[in-house]
Amino acid sequence: MIAKLKYFYADITGATAVEYSLIAAGIGLAIFGILSAIGVDIAGVLTSVDNSINK
């Protein structure tokens, strides 16, 4: 039983996948935050352009 626990503790085969998924989640959250922050500004610019074109 102790040998199996030592093997399980030493096994790192799934660690890389977990690390990459955490990095991807962090990047996704950063992109979401940036787009949420500038989304209102972009909408205002596009509305202004639309109004200028339709005049």
Side-chain angles (χ1 to χ4, degrees), residues 26-36:
I27 291 171
L29 286 173
I31 291 172
F32 178 75
I34 291 168
L35 292 178
S36 294

Side-chain angles (χ1 to χ4, degrees), residues 15-45:
T16 304
V18 171
E19 291 167 356
Y20 283 135
S21 64
L22 289 173
I23 291 170
I27 291 171
L29 286 173
I31 291 172
F32 178 75
I34 291 168
L35 292 178
S36 294
I38 65 171
V40 174
D41 295 334
I42 292 173
V45 169

